[in-house]
Every structure is written in structure tokens, then in C-alpha cells.
Amino acid sequence: MTADLDRLELELRFLPGVLSVGFERAAADDALLVQVVVVADRAAGDLRGRVRRITSTCGEPVQLELVVESQGGAPAHASGPSSAPSPQTPPLPPPLRSI
């Protein structure tokens, strides 16, 4: 199975705009979670369809999560057919200084 995941990762990374690909499975009988991180301004308009076609070849149930990095750097998660960007979190306060 490792060789199949390596091939799947390689195919996904060749898509324009893809920054990172990750896999996770909670249990042996669970669907394989495939997380794909993309840059919004570099990704093709049909990226979601292309990713689905590639992941459909792995021969097992797959749950797909697209994480879209906007130009401002705040990720917007997209795991369903339609999604709204996640709200941006406020900046962190400066670190405390020790005396």
C-alpha cells in the first residue's frame, strides 16, 4: 500500500498550485483521508475535479479535504461540494518579556 500512496502523492503534487499532500487513517476500516494544500492564485479552476479523478484510482474509500491558502496566507478549508472561507483569526499578542 505504501507504493500506491507514494504514487498518489506524486500525482497530486504535480498538479499546478499544490503545495502539500498528506494522508491519514484513524482505523484500518476507515476511509483514507487525503489532505491537499493549494495556493489559490496558482491552482487551476478544475483542480477539485482533477484531485477527485486522481484519488478515485486508489481503489479504496477516500475522504478528500482541500485546504486553500489565500493570497493573504490564511487557509480556507474546503471539504464539501461548496465551502465558505473560514474566518480569519486575530493576530497573536506579542510574547511576554521576562524580567
Side-chain angles (χ1 to χ4, degrees), residues 65-70 73-79 82-90:
E65 180 180 33
L66 292 178
V67 180
V68 181
E69 291 284 336
S70 63
H77 294 276
S79 57
S82 64
S83 64
S86 61
Q88 292 188 358
T89 56

Side-chain angles (χ1 to χ4, degrees), residues 23-34 58 60-64:
F23 303 102
E24 183 178 330
R25 186 188 318 270
D29 58 343
D30 286 346
L32 177 67
L33 173 63
V34 179
C58 76
E60 63 179 287
V62 172
Q63 179 182 355
L64 179 61

Side-chain angles (χ1 to χ4, degrees), residues 5-19:
L5 290 181
D6 289 344
R7 182 190 56 78
L8 182 62
E9 179 181 6
L10 184 62
E11 286 186 56
L12 291 170
R13 284 182 180 264
F14 270 112
L15 294 174
V18 173
L19 291 177

Side-chain angles (χ1 to χ4, degrees), residues 15-16 43-53 66:
L15 294 174
D46 64 341
L47 180 70
R48 183 185 304 249
R50 293 172 76 179
V51 169
R52 284 186 177 156
R53 276 191 299 274
L66 292 178

